[in-house]
Amino acid sequence: MAPIRVNAVAFIAANNHPILIRSFAENPLKYHYIAHTALDVIDERVAVSPKNSYLGLLYSIDDVAVYAYITPLNLKIVLAFALADAVIPDIKVHMIFKALHMAYYRASSNPFLTLDPSTPISSPKWKKFNRQLDDICTAVASGV
């Protein structure tokens, strides 16, 4: 099976403001667009089945497959994978989302943390979160 490559990860707040959009590929603006367009599909899926946190494959565009996950507090996590000839098993994608959700949970469990998009976040927990994002995406690419 071909290795899975994560091109981008987006964390979007309940009010649809991006908390973090991290691109691991060229053209980061493309992944900002993908994250914002995924919000429309997420809203449609949540209206149909509000209890399901794993929303699965939202759509594929060009060379990217877009998946989404929504937490109980309405944090939306969007993953953009590089399209390959092989199908990505849902259980593997779900486990990646769980790992990303737990990393975010650990980083944001700070009573003094404000997730204001206009100010950069510089806490040690948030820096560790960024390193964990890199580690998770590297592990996925290596097939672990």
Side-chain angles (χ1 to χ4, degrees):
M1 186 167 129
I4 302 170
R5 196 174 91 228
V6 177
N7 283 358
V9 179
F11 291 84
I12 301 166
N15 59 0
N16 289 342
H17 287 215
I19 296 169
L20 174 71
I21 300 176
R22 184 76 173 272
S23 174
F24 299 101
E26 295 177 8
N27 195 1
L29 188 59
K30 172 184 178 180
Y31 296 102
H32 279 259
Y33 172 75
I34 287 173
H36 286 288
T37 56
L39 290 175
D40 294 331
V41 182
I42 291 170
D43 289 341
E44 290 173 8
R45 296 262 178 103
V46 169
V48 173
S49 63
K51 294 182 181 178
N52 194 3
S53 61
Y54 175 64
L55 302 175
L57 177 67
L58 299 182
Y59 61 90
S60 56
I61 183 170
D62 296 333
D63 57 343
V64 178
V66 181
Y67 289 79
Y69 180 87
I70 188 164
T71 68
L73 295 176
N74 288 331
L75 171 76
K76 298 157 191 85
I77 304 173
V78 177
L79 274 173
F81 292 107
L83 274 179
D85 292 337
V87 175
I88 304 171
D90 272 348
I91 189 71
K92 194 165 196 172
V93 177
H94 194 261
M95 294 306 294
I96 295 167
F97 276 121
K98 289 283 189 187
L100 291 171
H101 182 201
M102 288 309 297
Y104 176 81
Y105 174 75
R106 282 188 225 104
S108 65
S109 61
N110 177 353
F112 303 107
L113 179 68
T114 57
L115 297 175
D116 182 17
S118 63
T119 60
I121 301 170
S122 61
S123 74
K125 275 185 159 182
W126 197 256
K127 290 178 183 176
K128 183 178 178 183
F129 169 66
N130 281 315
R131 285 192 306 273
Q132 285 178 332
L133 272 180
D134 292 337
D135 293 344
I136 291 168
C137 293
T138 302
V140 167
S142 67
V144 174

